[in-house]
Amino acid sequence: MNSSLVGNQSGRPFCLLAISYMETINFCLLEVVIIVFLMVLIISGNIIVIFVFHCAPLLNHHTTSYFIQTMAYADLLVGVSCLVPSLSLLHYPIVLSESLVCQIFGYVVSVLKSVSMASLACISIDRYIAITKPLTYNTLVTPWRLRICILTIWLYSCLVFLPSFHWGKPGYHGDVFQWCANSWNTDPYFTLFVVVMLYAPAAFIVCFTYFNIFRICQQHTKEINERRVRFSSQDGEAGEAQPCPDKRYAMVLFRITSVFYILWLPYIIYFLLESSNVYSNRVASFLTTWLAISNSFCNCVIYSLSNSVFQKGLKRLSGAICASCARQRVAKDSSTSRSKRSSNGCHV
């Protein structure tokens, strides 16, 4: 993913995604546009999600809101960290050495995305417990235990990728720096370590829990409909099929999880191929990396389009902002009119 400027014989910058070179621009324009565009979307989208969760108390009734907000904060930090490669591509002077900056950037982004992946796994476990043990759910899942779980997610993610500074590249998030692309190589053993400690367990937990969640919901729906048909036949009224109430909310979370893994699958595949020295292509690494990072914005879109309570909170937030703007406009107009009246009185 080397979009760093590498001078060639003609003195022009080497940009992997450049469609054409412009003499008036001395940086990789297309790479900068992609990164800055994603950075703006990720930061603005997750700030909105965080504000909506604080403005909509009903969203906090679900214990999964703890993990959703954790993902939002992690994704927000991903967007902020994208400022580092943007400044590098724009030739902004950096105090630290390029090798240290690219290692720190790669480590931070890997940790933040690990937090998102682990949060999705915890969300699926939470929904699985809610459906399989509804009577003891409130005693098993408490706010104190949720906070401990979130803290554990952050600590575990930091520890998993900590060996990357000496063992090998955790991914190729930092390849916008020339040193990362040319000198910081992936290690097959470290890749296996990350897969065993993070990718494989998270994927297994998600597949296992959601498979059982939808299976149980299907059984509940069938039982509810059979009871409705039985009672309606006795009363002489036609019964309507009713879906499992937990299935609708599980579908929202399943969409978020599915999009996450769909966008991250090309990145993981390329990471494995590059680590095993089977295939290596800098253009492919750039595209798969920033496709995976774009997931930090997709969560906001999916949740806003799928959750009715979130939509109400978003309308409430936008209404409050519009009302505040209207009050400021009225106050400004009234102050302007007073100043005009006072100035007219002085001239009289």
Side-chain angles (χ1 to χ4, degrees):
M1 191 182 70
N2 179 21
S3 55
S4 303
L5 303 183
V6 181
N8 53 24
Q9 296 180 354
S10 62
R12 296 179 177 180
F14 176 73
C15 302
L16 293 174
L17 302 183
I19 299 176
S20 61
Y21 176 75
M22 300 176 64
E23 297 289 346
T24 57
I25 298 177
N26 192 33
F27 58 85
C28 302
L29 178 62
L30 189 54
E31 285 90 334
V32 170
V33 169
I34 292 173
I35 295 175
V36 172
F37 178 70
L38 286 177
M39 180 179 66
V40 172
L41 288 180
I42 291 170
I43 293 176
S44 58
N46 284 284
I47 286 177
I48 292 173
V49 170
I50 292 169
F51 273 108
V52 169
F53 267 94
H54 285 288
C55 294
L58 288 176
L59 286 170
N60 293 319
H61 287 181
H62 291 284
T63 55
T64 51
S65 66
Y66 286 85
F67 297 111
I68 294 291
Q69 291 181 71
T70 300
M71 290 174 57
Y73 280 110
D75 291 336
L76 176 62
L77 292 175
V78 169
V80 174
S81 66
C82 289
L83 184 63
V84 176
S86 302
L87 295 177
S88 174
L89 290 171
L90 291 170
H91 289 187
Y92 190 84
I94 299 176
V95 179
L96 300 176
S97 63
E98 185 183 36
S99 60
L100 181 60
V101 171
C102 87
Q103 284 182 316
I104 293 174
F105 174 72
Y107 172 77
V108 168
V109 175
S110 298
V111 168
L112 293 174
K113 299 316 297 179
S114 172
V115 170
S116 296
M117 190 175 295
S119 297
L120 289 172
C122 289
I123 287 173
S124 64
I125 294 174
D126 174 80
R127 291 297 88 199
Y128 178 76
I129 296 174
I131 291 177
T132 56
K133 299 181 179 180
L135 299 178
T136 58
Y137 175 79
N138 291 329
T139 58
L140 292 174
V141 182
T142 61
W144 182 80
R145 289 180 178 176
L146 288 172
R147 294 187 183 96
I148 295 296
C149 182
I150 291 172
L151 180 61
T152 304
I153 288 173
W154 282 95
L155 291 177
Y156 183 78
S157 300
C158 291
L159 291 175
V160 166
F161 289 99
L162 192 60
S164 63
F165 289 96
H166 300 285
W167 199 349
K169 188 162 49 178
Y172 34 88
H173 303 292
D175 283 3
V176 288
F177 303 96
Q178 184 179 355
W179 185 88
C180 272
N182 298 330
S183 304
W184 198 21
N185 299 319
T186 54
D187 186 278
Y189 295 103
F190 182 61
T191 301
L192 180 63
F193 172 78
V194 173
V195 170
V196 171
M197 298 299 293
L198 180 63
Y199 295 158
F204 174 78
I205 290 171
V206 167
C207 293
F208 174 81
T209 52
Y210 278 113
F211 173 79
N212 285 280
I213 285 171
F214 291 122
R215 181 178 59 83
I216 294 171
C217 283
Q218 188 175 8
Q219 292 177 353
H220 288 179
T221 303
K222 184 178 179 181
E223 292 173 0
I224 292 171
N225 291 336
E226 288 177 352
R227 291 175 184 176
R228 290 183 62 87
V229 170
R230 190 184 310 119
F231 286 114
S232 60
S233 61
Q234 293 176 359
D235 298 335
E237 297 177 358
E240 296 180 359
Q242 295 293 328
C244 176
D246 293 320
K247 187 176 181 180
R248 187 177 302 169
Y249 190 64
M251 280 299 300
V252 176
L253 302 174
F254 180 72
R255 291 189 192 105
I256 294 176
T257 306
S258 299
V259 171
F260 180 91
Y261 280 98
I262 288 172
L263 293 178
W264 274 84
L265 186 60
Y267 166 86
I268 295 173
I269 291 175
Y270 183 86
F271 183 35
L272 296 175
L273 293 176
E274 185 187 61
S275 301
S276 57
N277 296 322
V278 175
Y279 177 75
S280 178
N281 184 282
R282 291 179 178 176
V283 178
S285 68
F286 181 92
L287 295 177
T288 53
T289 295
W290 293 97
L291 176 66
I293 290 178
S294 68
N295 173 78
S296 297
F297 171 71
C298 293
N299 292 340
C300 317
V301 178
I302 297 170
Y303 211 73
S304 60
L305 294 178
S306 304
N307 191 287
S308 58
V309 179
F310 185 89
Q311 293 171 2
K312 293 178 181 178
L314 185 60
K315 291 179 181 178
R316 179 180 176 182
L317 177 63
S318 59
I321 293 174
C322 292
S324 176
C325 293
R327 285 194 298 267
Q328 291 179 359
R329 191 179 299 110
V330 170
K332 185 177 180 180
D333 293 340
S334 60
S335 61
T336 303
S337 61
R338 286 198 210 98
S339 62
K340 287 182 178 180
R341 286 197 297 269
S342 60
S343 61
N344 291 335
C346 292
H347 286 294
V348 173

